[in-house]
Amino acid sequence: MERNIKAIIQDMTLEEKAGMCSGKDFWRLKSIERLGIPEVMVSDGPHGMRKQAEQGDHLGINDSIEAVCFPTACATACSFDRDLLKEMGTAIGNECQAENLSVILGPAVNIKRSPLCGRNFEYFSEDPYLAGQMASAHIQGVQSQGIGTSLKHFAANNQEYRRMTCSSEVSEQALREIYLAAFETPVKEAQPKTVMCSYNKINGTFASEDPWLLTKVLRDEWGFEGYVVSDWGAVNDRVEALKAGLELEMPASNGTNDKKIVEAVKNGTLSEDVLDRAVERILRVIFDYVDHKKEAIWDKDEDHKLAQRIEEESAILLKNDGILPICPEKKAALIGLFAEKPRFQGGGSSHINSYKVSSAVKEASAFANVVYAQGYDIKEDKIDEQLLQEAVEAARQSEYAIVFAGLPDSFESEGYDRSHMRLPNCQNHLIEEIIKVQPNTVVVLHNGSPVEMPWADQVRGILEMYLGGQAVGAAAVNLLYGKANPCGKLAETIPYHLEDNPSYLNFPGDGKKVFYQEGIYVGYRYYDKKKMPVRYPFGYGLSYTTFEYKDLKLDKESMKDTDKLIVSVTVKNTGDRAGKEIVELYVSSPNQAVRPVRELKNFAKVLLQPGEEKEITMELEKRSFAEYNEELHDWYVPSGTYTVSIGRSSREMELEACVQIESTTVLPITINANTTVGDLMRNPKTAEFIMTQMKKIQEVLGGEEKEESDVAKEAVSDEMNQAMMDSMPLRALRSFNGLDNEALEELVKQLKEIQ
Ligand code: BGC
């Protein structure tokens, strides 16, 4: 149905229009009956519905309706599976249809700058390409059901400490390449109905009132068509926010900010057109939902099963020296409270009231020979001698010990950051005591962000479940016993120590500002450049089968930066069980002095039966090779030879091929007496001229060529000569080549003319 939204707006009073720009209460937008504008409700996500029936709050305090908690983003990102994320989004969208929710808030796509961010469990990755791809798929899934999403928290919201006032001080390059890039792809590819601006400031300006962020970048450059909603309570100055491009304020401001909008229009400080445009954007999303409303049936049990499958395809097998999968006949001691009551989601606004939770103990007991011992408590981090001894005994009397460890709720949550990267001491101690009596020990982890693993070399297997949703118990059991084959890979690096992390010296800042000093060297971009040993690298994960890579082909040897490059590679399952492999494609820039060793630019996931092989094709385009150039304020691909690598992780390259790329962009060059000869020689416009001039200068001033003595040759090599010339400013030609001031001025003048 075609709606004449502009006509509706014309019929609205100024007060009604201002009122439309803020919520009715915590979760609902306002209705205007006489104009047929219905009341619609939004609700938290991202990994399931948190529809609050009664009193609203944004911290997960009051109960919401019973729903299904899917695995959180820290887990699902490790699936590297766009189709899976889409499937999850579709199921969530369908649930929202059934429950009359117009928008489900999420996905959250902020980059994991530090392992300490309390909200890392809700975020996808340290890598913007992966985060962007996962978010796009999630959005496409939800929105395929006629439900809107809210891509959040835009932008540079990478910590919880003082999140409502702190300023993230980030270079333009790091913002573009790392922090904004994670939002850019989902906006361009999946067009979320709404984007949620973050609480924090960016380089001194609140995200909620930053016209550069909310209008220039988001709308003018990326083509965003929906409305921007404030994070709950993120509005600082309502009128400035509206002008900058923030349409909807949530939750309700009790009418005070609506009045400010009315006043501003009346006193001429806010154009009514800006208000009309905001209302139009909000109404379009409301009616898009209303006009696509459909009957939906929500089957909780089906969604629970899906949550389990998603988790099985997301969990990461970090270590296996042949101990896994376990044979069900052999007696295994399942140890640790999380074996019985898993930690499967994080605290705060994304907290879901799960209608059921699967327990590993119960699931395994159905078919395997197991005993259970609690081992530790999570109320406080204290060694409970009795629980410890019971667990050690159970381990001693079994053939295997499987310790379910992880972070309790109090260790990580929305609202505050972690202060260290360790598991509770009582859990580390338990693992150490178990290892002493049981050599066949496996650790299963439930955590939203990496933990240090001091026992990693002494256990025989490690399975990382992250916060795996309400079906995590069943998923863990299926993976441990080989009913499912692990196929996730890490979406973030697990460093040995917190101190290794590139943000360590600048996290979380002094509360007023946090300096992103590491620039673009976030996560593996840093660890790999520093060749720093890490516990497990980005992109790493094992399977119960093995894969071989061969026949890497590029469809071109050379190309312009505007061309596309098709990359193909064959993957073969060389083991004896079916499995899925994630094929990671990395690109290395020739500009190694200032670039990461390599960066993830595409990936594919493929299911292979034993002995089966398939050719995978992936595409690369200008952005796959580009760096953000702060002089151009744009993306730029320096000419040169780029290496395309296929890896099992960011550290294990299997195949490599090269492509020669010619840039179609000429970098601007500022010409004055301090411009270097090297820059002039590299610039296509000035290269020939400067070469001729240099020759002339040499001829006129250099005199007869003299045979250099051996000592002179030793002192000044050709390489040194070349390097000196390359970085020599024009003015130095006076000192070293005898040019007088007049000649120098003339040279600069001529160069300016031909530029
Ligand atoms: C969180 C958002 C959430 C909102 C509504 C805020 O505190 O940062 O992610 O969507 O509350 O609950």
Side-chain angles (χ1 to χ4, degrees), residues 448-492:
S449 203
V451 290
E452 289 172 16
M453 302 179 202
W455 31 258
D457 294 336
Q458 293 136 36
V459 297
R460 294 192 56 196
I462 305 174
L463 181 62
E464 172 64 84
M465 304 302 292
Y466 278 108
L467 298 185
Q470 65 180 48
V472 67
V477 167
N478 278 358
L479 291 163
L480 289 167
Y481 285 91
K483 291 185 178 185
N485 190 352
C487 58
K489 291 192 177 184
L490 287 174
E492 64 187 319

Side-chain angles (χ1 to χ4, degrees), residues 27 44 50 57-59 105 119 122 152-153 163 196 199 231-232 349 414:
W27 302 118
D44 262 314
R50 189 171 80 91
D57 72 82
H58 65 135
L59 296 174
L105 307 173
R119 235 177 153 175
E122 252 183 281
K152 64 190 188 180
H153 310 89
R163 64 173 170 161
M196 186 189 292
Y199 288 124
D231 197 345
W232 268 230
S349 62
E414 177 177 345

Side-chain angles (χ1 to χ4, degrees), residues 232-302:
W232 268 230
V235 169
N236 170 56
D237 179 320
R238 184 59 187 110
V239 175
E240 284 313 306
L242 196 61
K243 284 186 197 164
L246 187 150
E247 281 83 25
L248 179 67
E249 176 181 12
M250 285 302 276
S253 65
N254 298 323
T256 48
N257 276 345
D258 302 355
K259 280 196 196 112
K260 283 199 175 149
I261 295 175
V262 171
E263 268 164 37
V265 172
K266 283 188 177 158
N267 69 26
T269 50
L270 175 71
S271 143
E272 194 160 352
D273 289 348
V274 172
L275 176 61
D276 287 358
R277 202 178 51 194
V279 175
E280 183 178 340
R281 287 171 179 161
I282 295 169
L283 290 182
R284 284 204 187 283
V285 174
I286 293 177
F287 283 118
D288 187 72
Y289 162 69
V290 172
D291 294 340
H292 292 93
K293 190 87 194 82
K294 56 179 183 185
E295 281 299 308
I297 297 165
W298 173 34
D299 184 335
K300 283 189 184 141
D301 291 334
E302 276 307 307

Side-chain angles (χ1 to χ4, degrees), residues 677-697:
V677 173
D679 284 350
L680 291 164
M681 287 204 175
R682 273 184 294 274
N683 189 292
K685 286 192 187 153
T686 51
E688 208 186 310
F689 177 78
I690 193 69
M691 225 110 82
T692 323
Q693 293 304 308
M694 292 304 292
K695 249 194 218 140
K696 272 194 209 159
I697 294 169

Side-chain angles (χ1 to χ4, degrees), residues 1-138:
M1 176 162 97
E2 246 326 286
R3 299 241 180 205
N4 192 345
I5 289 180
K6 287 200 192 304
I8 298 178
I9 296 170
Q10 265 181 3
D11 286 344
M12 291 170 87
T13 65
L14 179 58
E15 286 71 18
E16 281 170 339
K17 287 193 279 192
M20 216 53 232
C21 295
S22 69
K24 175 185 172 190
D25 54 25
F26 228 84
W27 302 118
R28 279 170 294 199
L29 275 66
K30 297 188 189 97
S31 60
I32 305 178
E33 219 174 301
R34 72 178 178 88
L35 297 173
I37 301 173
E39 179 184 291
V40 292
M41 185 171 182
V42 304
S43 145
D44 262 314
H47 43 266
M49 286 185 302
R50 189 171 80 91
K51 183 184 177 191
Q52 284 188 318
E54 299 301 326
Q55 275 208 316
D57 72 82
H58 65 135
L59 296 174
I61 301 164
N62 292 317
D63 266 1
S64 45
I65 60 162
E66 285 194 341
V68 174
C69 179
F70 288 89
T72 59
C74 62
T76 54
C78 301
S79 72
F80 280 68
D81 190 333
R82 299 173 181 92
D83 295 338
L84 196 69
L85 267 281
K86 209 167 170 178
E87 224 182 315
M88 180 175 104
T90 307
I92 294 173
N94 179 58
E95 292 181 359
C96 292
Q97 271 292 357
E99 290 291 338
N100 300 316
L101 294 174
S102 65
V103 170
I104 181 150
L105 307 173
V109 80
N110 299 84
I111 292 293
K112 296 177 204 250
R113 178 175 174 246
S114 161
L116 296 184
C117 173
R119 235 177 153 175
N120 274 357
F121 70 89
E122 252 183 281
Y123 300 148
F124 288 112
S125 179
E126 66 187 23
D127 180 82
Y129 179 77
L130 177 59
Q133 293 294 308
M134 295 292 99
S136 285
H138 176 116

Side-chain angles (χ1 to χ4, degrees), residues 647-661:
R648 292 183 195 271
S649 76
S650 81
R651 293 235 164 148
E652 288 166 279
M653 294 308 127
E654 288 293 320
L655 300 166
E656 282 185 359
C658 288
V659 59
Q660 190 70 33
I661 305 188

Side-chain angles (χ1 to χ4, degrees), residues 71-248:
T72 59
C74 62
T76 54
C78 301
S79 72
F80 280 68
D81 190 333
R82 299 173 181 92
D83 295 338
L84 196 69
L85 267 281
K86 209 167 170 178
E87 224 182 315
M88 180 175 104
T90 307
I92 294 173
N94 179 58
E95 292 181 359
C96 292
Q97 271 292 357
E99 290 291 338
N100 300 316
L101 294 174
S102 65
V103 170
I104 181 150
L105 307 173
V109 80
N110 299 84
I111 292 293
K112 296 177 204 250
R113 178 175 174 246
S114 161
L116 296 184
C117 173
R119 235 177 153 175
N120 274 357
F121 70 89
E122 252 183 281
Y123 300 148
F124 288 112
S125 179
E126 66 187 23
D127 180 82
Y129 179 77
L130 177 59
Q133 293 294 308
M134 295 292 99
S136 285
H138 176 116
I139 294 166
Q140 281 160 354
V142 173
Q143 296 197 169
S144 72
Q145 298 306 301
I147 302 298
T149 51
S150 196
L151 182 64
K152 64 190 188 180
H153 310 89
F154 192 51
N157 175 194
N158 309 95
Q159 66 188 46
E160 291 300 281
Y161 181 61
R162 298 277 174 109
R163 64 173 170 161
M164 296 187 91
T165 48
C166 189
S167 178
S168 302
E169 301 288 310
V170 203
S171 72
E172 188 183 347
Q173 187 195 17
L175 258 181
R176 291 290 193 160
E177 289 191 21
I178 308 289
Y179 298 99
L180 295 185
F183 290 87
E184 181 177 355
T185 309
V187 167
K188 287 179 170 168
E189 276 184 6
Q191 220 22 281
K193 292 290 172 196
T194 84
V195 165
M196 186 189 292
C197 79
S198 57
Y199 288 124
N200 53 289
K201 295 177 186 164
I202 303 173
N203 297 325
T205 306
F206 274 110
S208 63
E209 56 193 49
D210 187 344
W212 174 81
L213 185 73
L214 301 184
T215 296
K216 183 173 179 297
V217 173
L218 182 63
R219 290 193 187 274
D220 301 348
E221 289 182 25
W222 299 350
F224 175 61
E225 293 165 3
Y227 68 74
V228 175
V229 55
S230 68
D231 197 345
W232 268 230
V235 169
N236 170 56
D237 179 320
R238 184 59 187 110
V239 175
E240 284 313 306
L242 196 61
K243 284 186 197 164
L246 187 150
E247 281 83 25
L248 179 67

